[in-house]
Amino acid sequence: MSERKTWAERQSSTWKTRVGLAEMLKGGVIMDVVTSAQAKIAEEAGAAAVMALERVPADIRVAGGVSRMSDPRMIKGIQEAVSIPVMAKCRIGHFMEARILESLGVDFIDESEVLSPADDQYHVNKYLFKVPFVCGCRNLGEALRRIGEGAAMIRTKGEAGTGDVVEAVRHMRTLMDGIRMLTKMPKDQLMSAARDMGAPFDLVEEVSILGHLPVPNFSAGGIATPADAALMMHLGAESVFVGSGIFKSGNPARRAKAIVEAVSHYDDANKLADISENLGEAMVGINCGELGDKEKLASRGW
Amino acid sequence: MKPIGVLALQGDFLKHIQVLEEVGAETVQVRDVENLRSIGGLIIPGGESTTISKMLRRWNLMEPIIKLVRSGLPVFGTCAGLILLADELVNWNHLPRIGGLNLIVTRNAYGRQIDSFEAQLEIDISGGPTLSSFTGVFIRAPRIESNGLGAEVEVLSSFEGFPVLVRQKTILAASFHPELSGDVRLHSWFLEYMVEKSN
């Protein structure tokens, strides 16, 4: 069996392997971490992956200014610290940040509205990369545009750095409503639906047949408690991203572990009650209703 | 046939359930000890082995599953499932796990995500069928080391000099993801030759 393999016998970074990693993360929690020590706490708590960042979204809000890709040195430190997948964020449309992250060997790139957009019209052409991408969305049209550009995973945006789940709920409900609407729609109306939502027709047709997105669908932006995580799983999320919610809370290790447990037992209220006990202070947070439209990160992305 | 349990704590368990249902098996999602009653076989899916190991202990599933595997329940582990069934791990040997497979596994040995790949495998089962051109999807895959294989371990397929599919009596394990290939032949064979014959 050790004879030389031809190209056709070993193909790297195929669509199946890219979406496949997203499949492996299902039923898990992806945690924002800013240091190797936090990454280890996350891994120890049972995180399925970590997102390496210089600042969590709550601190990005406070700091203001332009928010960019993290220092490669810091990302490398986290890659060395843990054995689980490491993700990192690039700015919307900043394909050179994405190239740099790819060269570092990160396992997933989040083309994220949490950072300052680098391009106010176009996103990265994600098909040109070996590394898979995850992108945010607020509705079905936005999700299908990102998948059309090559995203291997979608996450609803929510409102990062607030600890308020209301926007995450709204975006997930809007997305799922869009999907349910397509599955009921007569075939001859699909082209107009594609036009109205600004989505590729082929993907609109596929969703109308499948009844779900063609890639895994996760939730992000404002999840702060085990109950929040379980709520998002019930609304259609297949996994959750938790950003500021863990390391801005009173007892990160305990809260991280509890959210991991809640995602795996989201349908069992008795267990959730047990899991939610005695976790210490949740992050203080910001009510999304008090944010002006300009302060909302979710409106970034086209 | 009794239903097949699919460990549903984290990972791509729904993909396994899809394939099993496609070949006509009944399935049970295993999240609690009660779910283990009356299953005819067990699948340990892909996912993060560290996460699944934590959840196995948290919900008191580790000991009952170890007992079932030792008592001869047919079990099929893929990727993270292989890691959890391995008797020895390079580097991560402290990871609490099920064990039962007398071999050595190295986690993430095929590289990071950008090194993930698909390969055409030849699967040759002694006393069973040959599954030709089976697409193996390898994602941040663990490697079964070719040294340290126990005498009772049969290698059913190899790629680039390393075993990728092995069987030890009632335990079947793959370093790749048959549940992602769209090919149901391996699950079918597991049901027909390993589950039905043991029940």
Side-chain angles (χ1 to χ4, degrees), chain A residues 140-212:
Chain A
L140 182 58
E142 198 173 7
L144 297 183
R145 288 196 293 280
R146 298 295 86 82
I147 297 167
E149 293 158 357
M153 184 206 292
I154 288 296
R155 57 172 174 77
T156 46
K157 287 177 179 170
E159 193 52 41
T162 61
D164 186 350
V165 80
V166 66
E167 293 292 301
V169 167
R170 194 152 62 88
H171 296 157
M172 185 58 77
R173 281 201 186 270
T174 307
L175 174 68
M176 300 309 281
D177 276 348
I179 293 171
R180 282 187 285 264
M181 195 181 70
L182 283 189
T183 60
K184 299 264 164 33
M185 193 174 273
K187 209 170 170 112
D188 48 9
Q189 291 177 210
L190 293 177
M191 182 58 85
S192 296
R195 178 201 60 204
D196 293 345
M197 68 174 82
F201 175 75
D202 290 355
L203 288 171
V204 168
E205 192 183 31
E206 190 170 338
V207 169
S208 79
I209 296 165
L210 289 175
H212 56 78

Side-chain angles (χ1 to χ4, degrees), chain A residues 217-239:
Chain A
N217 172 25
F218 293 8
S219 169
I223 294 157
T225 68
D228 288 350
L231 174 68
M232 296 316 300
M233 295 295 285
H234 271 283
L235 291 175
E238 295 172 299
S239 270

